[in-house]
Amino acid sequence: MTHDAQDLAFDRHALRVTPSLVDPFGRAITYLRVSVTDRCDFRCVYCMAEHMTFLPKADLLSLEELDRLCSAFISKGVTKLRLTGGEPLVRRGIMTLVHSLSRHLGTGALKELTLTTNGSQLQTYASELKASGVQRINVSLDTLDADKFRAITRWGDLKKVLAGIDAAQAAGLQVKINAVALKGVNEEELANLLEWSHGRGMDLTVIEVMPLGEIDESRLDQYLPLSVVRARLADCYTLEDIDYRTGGPARYVRVKETGGRLGFITPLTHNFCESCNRVRVTCTGTLYMCLGQNDAADLRKSLRASESDELLYAAIDEAITRKPKGHDFVIDRRHQKPALDRHMSMTGG
Ligand SMILES: C[S@@+](CC[C@H](N)C(=O)[O-])C[C@H]1O[C@@H](n2cnc3c(N)ncnc32)[C@H](O)[C@@H]1O
Ligand code: SF4
């Protein structure tokens, strides 16, 4: 490291209380979500078409490049890092990246290293994740019915995912369940999923379908507004609004009867943009400043242009000046096309 770079690193450390990434609307960017692969061992009907064309492997950032990129964001004030995908645990060598990134937990620069997974590989990796300093994970699970699970994920095996969740809890990982609310598919089952999650000490978050990427079905057919979900659950349970926030878009209630937390992510019926603290990077190094907008910055170019990180820092700074105030997703009969061409598996949700 040159003296200048050392001074800069020192300054950044000293300035950690005033994060160095602040967008034009005064929002400090402290949360980075990184999609480490666009590939997946499932083909969830709301996420992917059955026959997806994936990126050529040569386009992907290497594990070393992903590490460099994440570390650059961490030196610029990011304190929470989520690995996602595609399915992050199917990326070859993923644990090498997790181990390596965990050094930032050791220095205190990073407060949380976590991931969102479909759970299929958790039996293999749960203990290693915990040993690397991961404390909490999100597991996506839309149903407890094996046949429905197969119909939703096309390729998934519920038994494997449930065994993965068992392994995660046995390893001491805190698990939150994410379920996408799907009209006519799991809408009758959400109370059951809630009882099951809370019975095992896991929070449950319900997510509305978002119009990202072409799929084989119509999103209008899948779309179930969470206002409906909430009203139905409120018929059977006492939902108490609570202040609990994870820095994300979810709004939580406490379910009095179970004692557990229930979150709602409603990008379509609600605006959660004003407190947005996050940005997303794809596995090719494209930085999206907003999940719901197309504007992006190519960080791979800056990464590969020089061994020093100065170009990368400059590209990140410049991109953050373009973070938009918010998005404007719509699903209705006049907007049958996806609001955005890219799939959730590119940006990781
Ligand atoms: C894209 S996945 C990536 C991580 C991992 N494969 C998983 O399923 O958890 C992240 C989350 O996005 C959700 N998701 C995918 N496509 C979606 C869509 N069109 N609308 C709403 N949620 C979606 C998934 O259910 C999952 O909870
Ligand atoms: S939601 Fe996750 S598990 Fe399902 S297809 Fe998309 S990336 Fe794969």
Side-chain angles (χ1 to χ4, degrees):
M1 210 188 259
T2 64
H3 278 302
D4 281 349
Q6 264 169 359
D7 289 343
L8 218 58
F10 176 77
D11 282 344
R12 277 191 198 105
H13 196 69
L15 286 172
R16 179 117 306 133
V17 275
T18 38
S20 40
L21 288 178
V22 177
D23 79 0
F25 304 96
R27 297 170 297 190
I29 309 306
T30 54
Y31 182 9
L32 175 68
R33 299 171 69 106
V34 183
S35 175
V36 296
T37 175
D38 63 332
R39 287 161 200 259
C40 187
D41 51 347
F42 291 3
R43 290 289 180 278
C44 301
V45 290
Y46 46 78
C47 180
M48 295 191 181
E50 181 148 24
H51 302 287
M52 291 282 290
T53 309
F54 292 109
L55 294 162
K57 290 218 167 108
D59 285 0
L60 301 197
L61 296 186
S62 67
L63 294 173
E64 291 75 16
E65 287 172 327
L66 281 169
D67 185 290
R68 222 180 116 199
L69 188 66
C70 293
S71 301
F73 274 96
I74 292 166
S75 17
K76 288 191 124 323
V78 160
T79 55
K80 177 171 174 179
L81 186 60
R82 179 178 298 277
L83 304 182
T84 174
E87 174 47 41
L89 296 180
V90 303
R91 169 88 196 237
R92 190 169 304 196
I94 185 65
M95 288 314 299
T96 311
L97 179 65
V98 174
H99 282 306
S100 155
L101 289 172
S102 70
R103 71 188 184 280
H104 298 297
L105 291 169
T107 65
L110 191 61
K111 294 204 171 64
E112 184 168 25
L113 175 59
T114 183
L115 77 162
T116 300
T117 171
N118 64 23
S120 69
Q121 311 295 319
L122 274 177
Q123 271 179 290
T124 309
Y125 292 121
S127 310
E128 231 178 314
L129 287 168
K130 182 68 170 67
S132 302
V134 174
Q135 303 292 347
R136 306 189 299 170
I137 57 171
N138 289 354
V139 180
S140 305
L141 178 64
D142 305 326
T143 176
L144 292 168
D145 176 306
D147 293 333
K148 264 190 208 170
F149 186 82
R150 173 54 67 116
I152 295 171
T153 61
R154 291 195 185 100
W155 296 2
D157 176 358
L158 178 66
K159 263 205 264 132
K160 240 172 132 182
V161 172
L162 295 180
I165 293 172
D166 287 343
Q169 290 197 297
L173 290 168
Q174 217 176 304
V175 178
K176 177 165 83 71
I177 301 294
N178 282 342
V180 177
L182 297 163
K183 188 158 82 184
V185 180
N186 63 358
E187 60 180 306
E188 300 302 333
E189 218 199 312
L190 293 169
N192 192 19
L193 205 53
L194 180 141
E195 294 276 354
W196 175 81
S197 306
H198 288 181
R200 299 182 53 136
M202 305 183 293
D203 289 347
L204 171 70
T205 298
V206 196
I207 308 171
E208 240 167 31
V209 171
M210 293 180 235
L212 299 179
E214 288 284 0
I215 51 171
D216 299 331
E217 303 180 17
S218 155
R219 287 231 168 67
L220 190 60
D221 294 341
Q222 301 175 340
Y223 177 55
L224 176 65
L226 291 197
S227 48
V228 173
V229 173
R230 185 177 171 141
R232 283 190 199 153
L233 288 173
D235 282 343
C236 316
Y237 298 97
T238 317
L239 308 182
E240 302 170 331
D241 283 319
I242 50 174
D243 267 347
Y244 178 73
R245 295 294 294 270
T246 56
R251 296 288 176 270
Y252 283 89
V253 296
R254 167 93 48 205
V255 180
K256 198 171 169 200
E257 290 75 7
T258 62
R261 274 187 298 243
L262 170 66
F264 297 95
I265 300 187
T266 56
L268 300 168
T269 51
H270 234 256
N271 225 333
F272 53 70
C273 304
E274 67 283 351
S275 59
C276 182
N277 62 352
R278 62 188 57 195
V279 289
R280 296 169 166 83
V281 178
T282 69
C283 51
T284 57
T286 304
L287 172 67
Y288 285 97
M289 287 72 83
C290 172
L291 177 64
Q293 302 275 3
N294 275 323
D295 190 24
D298 178 7
L299 299 183
R300 185 175 60 184
K301 212 156 100 197
S302 321
L303 257 175
R304 292 184 177 168
S306 144
E307 279 181 16
S308 137
D309 285 337
E310 296 315 307
L311 285 178
L312 182 58
Y313 288 138
I316 294 172
D317 283 337
E318 192 280 326
I320 297 303
T321 67
R322 289 190 274 129
K323 185 166 164 66
K325 195 165 178 203
H327 64 69
D328 36 37
F329 288 137
V330 198
I331 291 185
D332 66 25
R333 297 199 182 277
R334 282 169 298 128
H335 298 82
Q336 286 284 4
K337 277 191 70 62
L340 295 174
D341 290 338
R342 63 179 190 273
H343 289 86
M344 188 76 112
S345 49
M346 254 186 86
T347 35

